[in-house]
Amino acid sequence: MSGSKLMSGNQSFCTRFTFVAFSSLAELQPVLFIVFLIIYLFTVGGNLIIICLIWVTPSLHTPMYFFLVNLSFLEMCYITSVVPQMLVHLLMEIKTITVGGCAAQMYVFTILGLTECCLLAAMAYDRFVAICYPLHYSLLMSPHVCLKLAAASWTTGVVVESIQTTWIFTLPFCGTGKIQHFFCDIMPVVKLACVDTSRNEIVMFAVSVLFIMSPCFLILCSYVRIFVTILRIPSTAGKRKAFSTCSSHILVVSLFYGTALFTYLQPKTAHTPETDKATALMYTVVTPALNPVIYTLRNKEVKEAFQRVTQRNSLRQTA
């Protein structure tokens, strides 16, 4: 079913969009609903456990875990901006959304995405200071500095993506209003514009390069210095301990930036519905679900804190 339209002269403008990402998988949609629901509940539950665990464990009240709380909260919001609506649409024959609803989803999704880029850079800086300047760590990563870094990450995401998304939705949308996707991502929506969007695409590409690659460059620089410092540590045990403190962050950065760079630094002509949907599932569903696993299974302090909390609760129940 096509999106609703308003007529203006000889041009029809869309007032609603229709998602057609799963239209060829009608028989599998109930199965997909169950799979994505389980992943969503696991992701939200896992990140909530991490936040609560850090909250109730004084030994985890450090800058690294302050940023991890921010990341876990962001991941919950990130997946919630996309998956619940997708679940509803998997149960519906007609999968429509108003232009205003589409704009709202894009605002939330893009703001959270850019904020995560900046937050991952702040986390890399924290590891850089901890490993390269351990004697000055408490001074350079004071609570005040941590708050400033987190606030700068959120502010950058809100300001930059609010401007970009507002600009996108000043475009007129026409035609069938069918989005070859399961949510309102940038390029599938821009493709519906009935005007030349080449200038918009150049600006969006420049914004992506500046605000996605700049944090990525800072992360790379931080880890170059970290690896150089680790190689200078004389003992193997010391090297292993230093590397273990940043291995979880490296995995999360690789997952997030791998899909982000592939998606947003491609020209419009290189995008296809199939690749867009596959990469979008990675960064909207899979990556947020893996983060709690990475930070619990690969982090000794978090595992020990979890064991202490569960043992304490077990003792209370048996007392």
Side-chain angles (χ1 to χ4, degrees), residues 22-289:
F22 299 118
S23 58
S24 61
L25 302 172
E27 295 180 356
L28 291 176
Q29 287 184 20
V31 177
L32 292 174
F33 174 85
I34 294 171
V35 171
F36 289 135
L37 177 61
I38 292 171
I39 293 174
Y40 175 70
L41 294 175
F42 172 81
T43 303
V44 173
N47 282 295
L48 272 175
I49 288 172
I50 289 176
I51 292 172
C52 294
L53 194 63
I54 293 171
W55 180 269
V56 301
T57 308
S59 62
L60 298 182
H61 293 177
T62 63
M64 182 172 76
Y65 294 106
F66 166 77
F67 290 120
L68 181 54
V69 167
N70 274 267
L71 181 65
S72 295
F73 174 74
L74 187 148
E75 293 287 21
M76 287 193 300
C77 298
Y78 195 67
I79 195 170
T80 300
S81 69
V82 174
V83 174
Q85 182 194 60
M86 180 176 67
L87 292 174
V88 171
H89 283 163
L90 285 171
L91 298 178
M92 299 172 63
E93 183 178 351
I94 303 173
K95 313 176 195 307
T96 61
I97 188 172
T98 64
V99 172
C102 186
Q105 185 180 58
M106 189 181 292
Y107 273 115
V108 175
F109 172 78
T110 55
I111 286 170
L112 293 171
L114 181 53
T115 300
E116 182 162 356
C117 289
C118 299
L119 195 59
L120 289 172
M123 295 174 77
Y125 175 72
D126 169 68
R127 293 298 83 208
F128 161 71
V129 175
I131 293 173
C132 299
Y133 300 97
L135 299 179
H136 299 91
Y137 182 70
S138 59
L139 177 64
L140 295 175
M141 294 303 297
S142 66
H144 186 63
V145 172
C146 292
L147 285 172
K148 279 188 173 181
L149 289 171
S153 299
W154 285 96
T155 302
T156 301
V158 170
V159 172
V160 173
E161 292 302 338
S162 293
I163 294 171
Q164 178 171 254
T165 303
T166 301
W167 191 29
I168 289 172
F169 280 89
T170 59
L171 296 170
F173 300 104
C174 52
T176 62
K178 291 182 178 179
I179 298 179
Q180 296 288 337
H181 218 309
F182 56 89
F183 74 104
C184 292
D185 204 357
I186 293 174
M187 289 313 300
V189 171
V190 170
K191 287 178 180 178
L192 298 179
C194 45
V195 294
D196 180 21
T197 60
S198 56
R199 290 184 179 180
N200 300 73
E201 290 167 40
I202 292 170
V203 173
M204 286 187 289
F205 184 79
V207 168
S208 297
V209 170
L210 179 61
F211 291 101
I212 294 179
M213 290 306 297
S214 294
C216 185
F217 179 72
L218 292 174
I219 292 170
L220 289 174
C221 289
S222 296
Y223 275 109
V224 167
R225 290 290 307 275
I226 286 170
F227 289 142
V228 170
T229 302
I230 289 175
L231 290 174
R232 291 175 180 169
I233 297 174
S235 68
T236 303
K239 290 178 181 178
R240 188 180 296 112
K241 183 180 179 181
F243 182 75
S244 67
T245 63
C246 53
S247 59
S248 298
H249 182 254
I250 293 172
L251 282 173
V252 171
V253 167
S254 301
L255 283 169
F256 180 80
Y257 269 101
T259 52
L261 294 177
F262 181 81
T263 301
Y264 295 109
L265 295 185
Q266 287 189 103
K268 182 180 177 181
T269 52
H271 285 263
T272 65
E274 289 73 24
T275 57
D276 284 349
K277 284 181 282 189
T279 53
L281 281 172
M282 277 296 297
Y283 62 75
T284 59
V285 180
V286 178
T287 301

